[in-house]
Amino acid sequence: SNVDSAMYNGANLEMDFYGGYKHAFEGGFGIDLGAIYYFYPGSGAGGTTKVDNTELYIGASWGPLTAKYNYAVSDFFSVPNSKGSSYLDLGFSYDLGKGWGVVAHYGYQTLKGDARAPQIGGTFPGPDNYSDWKLGATYTVEGWVIGLAYIDTNRSYTGGTAALSNKDISGATGVLSVSKSF
C-alpha cells in the first residue's frame, strides 16, 4: 500500500511479507502462528533511518471470536530501543443470514523504549499505549463483500506531511469497502 514518504524517510510504499501455520480443530477452535516483516523500499533516503519491522504473532479463534498478539522482535519500525512493542487484536464477526453480517474489532498497541506516537500539538509523550476500534456491517452478494464500518481511536495523532499543519490523521471516520477473495 502507499504511505507518506515524509513519515517513512523517503519510502512511498509498504510491502508486507508474512508466513505461518494455521490449523482448525473440531469444535470450532483454531490457532494461527507466524511472522510478519514490514518493508519500506526507498526508506533511509538522504542518510535517514531505514524503516522496517519484524513481528512474531500467535492467534486463536473460536466461533465468531478471534484474538491475535503481535510482538516486535526488531526495533519497532526502526525506533531505537523499542523491541518488545506489541499489539493485541480482538475481533468478532457474525453471520446474520441472507448475506448480512456484523463485525467488531478492538486493538491495543503497547509501545516500548523510545517509541512514541506524535500527538496533535507536536508533543511526543511516551512510551505510550493506545486503543483503536471498529464496528461495522457487511453484505455479501455473489462472492463480493460490501462493508461499512465506523473506526476510531482514543488518541489524536499527526505525522508525516500532516504534521506540518498539525492535521489529525486519526479522527473517527466511516469506511466503505468492497472485497472479493479468489
Side-chain angles (χ1 to χ4, degrees):
S1 64
N2 63 328
V3 296
D4 183 341
S5 61
M7 201 168 193
Y8 290 91
N9 298 338
N12 60 10
L13 179 68
E14 174 183 302
M15 298 172 71
D16 301 342
F17 300 94
Y18 54 92
Y21 173 76
K22 231 177 180 177
H23 185 76
F25 298 93
E26 287 186 36
F29 181 74
I31 61 166
D32 186 6
L33 307 166
I36 302 173
Y37 175 67
Y38 300 87
F39 175 61
Y40 299 88
S43 71
T48 60
T49 302
K50 181 182 178 312
V51 179
D52 65 359
N53 186 54
T54 304
E55 296 177 348
L56 300 178
Y57 69 84
I58 183 169
S61 61
W62 183 62
L65 303 172
T66 61
K68 186 184 256 185
Y69 179 76
N70 289 47
Y71 182 86
V73 294
S74 66
D75 280 333
F76 188 68
F77 293 92
S78 300
V79 174
N81 306 313
S82 60
K83 288 180 187 176
S85 293
S86 61
Y87 186 72
L88 176 63
D89 179 349
L90 303 174
F92 175 79
S93 179
Y94 189 75
D95 184 354
L96 297 171
K98 297 186 180 181
W100 290 96
V102 293
V103 294
H105 154 83
Y106 175 79
Y108 188 77
Q109 178 74 61
T110 302
L111 298 175
K112 297 287 186 184
D114 293 337
R116 307 288 188 271
Q119 293 203 114
I120 298 299
T123 61
F124 287 82
D128 47 28
N129 307 320
Y130 56 92
S131 303
D132 66 274
W133 52 88
K134 171 176 90 170
L135 185 59
T138 60
Y139 182 70
T140 304
V141 58
E142 296 182 21
W144 292 89
V145 180
I146 302 163
L148 181 61
Y150 167 82
I151 60 172
D152 200 0
T153 181
N154 67 335
R155 301 293 289 275
S156 294
Y157 294 107
T158 190
T161 54
L164 299 174
S165 62
N166 213 27
K167 181 180 178 186
D168 185 353
I169 60 173
S170 62
T173 191
V175 175
L176 177 65
S177 62
V178 178
S179 62
K180 183 171 177 77
S181 295
F182 298 95

